[in-house]
Amino acid sequence: MTAVHEGEPRRFLIVSHTHREEAIAATIAAVSALQNAGVVPVFVAEDRDEFAPHLDVSRIGVLGTDAAIADLEVAIVLGGDGTILRAAEVLRGSACPIVGVNLGHVGFLAEMESFDLASTIHRVLRRDYTVEERLTLEVSASCDGEMIADTWALNEASVEKRRRMLEVEIGVDGLPVSSFACDGMVVATPTGSTAYAFSAGGPVVWPGVQAMLMVPIAAHALFNRPLVTGTDSELSVRILPENIGPGVLWCDGRRRTELPAGSIVRVRRSPLSVRLARLSAAPFSDRLVRKFHLPVSGWRGNGREVRA
């Protein structure tokens, strides 16, 4: 559990950005609501500097200086999925839950929409939420026996071409499964199944399913279907030594590693999870329908009401 000591002020992390007016306005409103409730808003240092023209930052704590991660009760993230992924990176390994308020487009990781900001703040202040554990990936890359990356991902790890197609060999539990030319490979969690893996043609996997996905990107092969394995497996993508040109490893689109020909990327389940705070009891199917604007009425007009 997050360390919140009796008699000490409550501290909430706010993760936002100044790239859009909507995000600035939402951040100002969230900071004001928290301060009026006696809660200390905490920013990462670079966010505090960015918001200095818009807020009285003397009343805002700095993470790592005025508050440790263990002091945080919850993180309120104002933005799209990219901002939530940044918050997950900041909070890696902690018990602090994340509440996402969507200011982006699809915002699949976000719990609430921007018009719900006031009610979201109110419910978080009352601790009226549940916490959902999302599995993450442990990702390593090596070349000629030398470790060149040791990182992680919440959504996906992708091995992608730089200029020319990649010749890859994919494997499960140390055994080769297939080899082919492709634009890349995505190894994803159920959380990431609605992100890059979905765009590459992978299946949508419910968040509670304990599984990992391997999805080829534009594979030149008859066997080019996504694979789904259990979380006790180790998945690998090897760029064949005869490949012309390097590849690149991206984790959640945030952490990048150059991959020379001959590199091998290994992915397994990480012992660390990301904790997402949930304010709605609506099932994942309703979220899927709402976010992707899926039709739920047949041509005869039969359908069901989808909860908000």
Side-chain angles (χ1 to χ4, degrees):
M1 295 294 290
T2 303
V4 180
H5 302 291
E6 187 176 351
E8 290 189 3
R10 300 167 72 185
R11 295 177 176 88
F12 290 10
L13 179 68
I14 294 182
V15 180
S16 185
H17 59 79
T18 57
H19 305 150
R20 293 172 55 191
E21 289 296 327
E22 185 181 10
I24 295 172
T27 305
I28 292 171
V31 167
S32 176
L34 294 181
Q35 289 174 335
N36 289 340
V39 173
V40 177
V42 177
F43 283 33
V44 296
E46 54 266 36
D47 286 0
R48 186 176 182 268
D49 292 342
E50 278 192 19
F51 277 97
H54 310 286
L55 290 165
D56 178 5
V57 294
S58 66
R59 300 180 61 202
I60 293 173
V62 177
L63 187 63
T65 301
D66 304 309
I69 289 179
D71 298 326
L72 301 172
E73 182 177 326
V74 71
I76 297 174
V77 182
L78 306 168
D81 283 352
T83 313
I84 294 177
L85 290 170
R86 179 161 68 93
E89 190 174 68
V90 170
L91 297 168
R92 178 70 173 161
S94 79
C96 181
I98 296 170
V99 178
V101 178
N102 182 38
L103 305 178
H105 298 290
V106 177
F108 229 102
L109 290 171
E111 174 67 4
M112 307 298 282
E113 300 298 325
S114 57
F115 52 77
D116 292 318
L117 179 60
S119 64
T120 299
I121 297 291
H122 179 65
R123 290 185 61 182
V124 172
L125 286 169
R126 292 191 290 117
R127 300 187 176 97
D128 182 17
Y129 56 83
T130 59
V131 176
E132 193 173 277
E133 302 273 350
R134 295 291 183 93
L135 74 86
T136 67
L137 303 175
E138 195 173 83
V139 185
S140 66
S142 60
C143 186
D144 296 328
E146 179 184 351
M147 185 74 71
I148 57 177
D150 183 9
T151 183
W152 70 285
L154 169 60
N155 273 352
E156 75 280 310
S158 61
V159 176
E160 303 175 36
K161 68 177 184 179
R162 285 287 307 278
R163 292 176 295 276
R164 304 179 62 132
M165 293 189 80
L166 294 176
E167 296 278 351
V168 302
E169 176 189 86
I170 61 172
V172 178
D173 296 330
L175 298 175
V177 171
S178 188
S179 61
F180 43 74
C182 61
D183 283 355
M185 288 293 301
V186 180
V187 180
T189 65
T191 299
S193 72
T194 51
Y196 196 177
F198 176 82
S199 299
V204 173
V205 181
W206 263 235
V209 176
Q210 300 301 296
M212 299 186 295
L213 293 72
M214 294 187 82
V215 184
I217 305 171
H220 284 219
L222 291 177
F223 184 75
N224 59 2
R225 296 296 186 265
L227 303 179
V228 180
T229 72
T231 54
D232 56 347
S233 289
E234 178 184 270
L235 310 183
S236 63
V237 181
R238 184 168 72 103
I239 301 177
L240 297 178
E242 59 268 26
N243 195 78
I244 301 174
V248 61
L249 167 66
W250 283 100
C251 289
D252 289 337
R254 294 186 51 78
R255 295 171 292 282
R256 173 191 172 110
T257 303
E258 296 289 322
L259 297 174
S263 297
I264 183 166
V265 175
R266 294 182 173 88
V267 182
R268 63 175 61 213
R269 179 179 185 161
S270 169
L272 303 177
S273 63
V274 168
R275 309 182 81 226
L276 298 182
R278 291 301 183 203
L279 284 72
S280 171
F284 178 74
S285 54
D286 283 357
R287 182 186 299 268
L288 188 70
V289 168
R290 186 174 71 253
K291 295 291 186 179
F292 284 157
H293 305 289
L294 301 179
V296 291
S297 295
W299 67 277
R300 292 182 183 275
N302 297 321
R304 64 183 178 87
E305 181 181 349
V306 177
R307 292 182 290 275

